[in-house]
Amino acid sequence: MSKTRHYIATAIALFVTMLAVTGCTDDDVDQAYDLNGYWQGSIQGDYYSDRFGGHDSWDTEIWFVQDGDFSSGGYGREIDYNRSTGYVYDADFDWEVRNGRIYIDYYDGYRVIVRNYELYSVGSGQRFRGYFDDWDTGETLASFDLVKIGGWSDWAKRHVMNADSISGGAPAGRGAAGKALGR
């Protein structure tokens, strides 16, 4: 009888552990699914101090492409524009949602963690705001506030129109290097 109880207790513990692990994974996948698409807005802070010596305010467009419906990550592209200097930064990246944080690994070697973010709806639109932290030091680099302007189902229409894009064009996909462009 004691062995039977032990087996039942072990089976229950394994089942509860599986549910807990699956719950985190499902949340990460759900958040990745919600990120999938085109976002526009602004970045405020020292996000580029390591790269260009600081410009504190940027208009931005970030495109997240999920690797599949049940993936917790994928690849993307970020285009940032400084209105006061005319400087444009265009970078491709890989991203992943893990335990409620978004890890972004840019192809030029720059890496950030998105923390304390919110994905929420306002009317019929979606918003995304939070903080960029340095991947290595944990130092807060900037805050951001973005609005979803389209999903991947809108790709063909956006590819033709591109009027609402900061620089035009569609994400290059994997393997493209980030590049700084002066205008």
Side-chain angles (χ1 to χ4, degrees), residues 145-167:
D145 190 9
L146 308 173
V147 175
K148 192 168 196 175
I149 59 171
W152 288 112
S153 61
D154 301 329
W155 185 85
K157 180 171 68 173
R158 282 187 47 81
H159 184 68
V160 172
M161 294 175 51
N162 277 325
D164 58 352
S165 174
I166 292 171
S167 67

Side-chain angles (χ1 to χ4, degrees), residues 10-85:
T10 302
I12 290 171
L14 287 172
F15 181 72
V16 168
T17 302
M18 283 178 22
L19 286 177
V21 169
T22 303
C24 290
T25 302
D26 287 346
D27 287 346
D28 292 345
V29 169
D30 289 344
Q31 290 174 23
Y33 180 80
D34 289 342
L35 281 174
N36 195 38
Y38 301 99
W39 300 85
Q40 281 185 340
S42 62
I43 297 174
Q44 303 288 327
D46 293 330
Y47 187 52
Y48 284 110
S49 63
D50 292 344
R51 291 177 175 172
F52 314 123
H55 311 298
D56 60 351
S57 180
W58 295 78
D59 288 335
T60 190
E61 182 170 311
I62 302 176
W63 305 336
F64 290 96
V65 182
Q66 190 179 15
D67 272 337
D69 288 342
F70 302 103
S71 171
S72 62
Y75 59 94
R77 184 176 191 185
E78 179 177 336
I79 302 170
D80 301 317
Y81 175 74
N82 185 292
R83 286 188 179 183
S84 62
T85 65

Side-chain angles (χ1 to χ4, degrees), residues 78-139:
E78 179 177 336
I79 302 170
D80 301 317
Y81 175 74
N82 185 292
R83 286 188 179 183
S84 62
T85 65
Y87 199 83
V88 175
Y89 190 75
D90 181 352
D92 295 320
F93 59 87
D94 289 322
W95 62 277
E96 179 182 15
V97 179
R98 280 187 306 211
N99 300 319
R101 291 184 171 201
I102 304 166
Y103 294 82
I104 300 177
D105 189 3
Y106 294 92
Y107 295 168
D108 67 358
Y110 201 68
R111 302 180 319 165
V112 298
I113 298 172
V114 179
R115 67 161 175 89
N116 291 350
Y117 64 90
E118 296 179 276
L119 288 163
Y120 61 100
S121 297
V122 175
S124 62
Q126 289 181 290
R127 305 284 305 213
F128 176 36
R129 67 179 172 199
Y131 298 91
F132 289 115
D133 287 350
D134 183 277
W135 183 306
D136 298 318
T137 67
E139 176 186 353

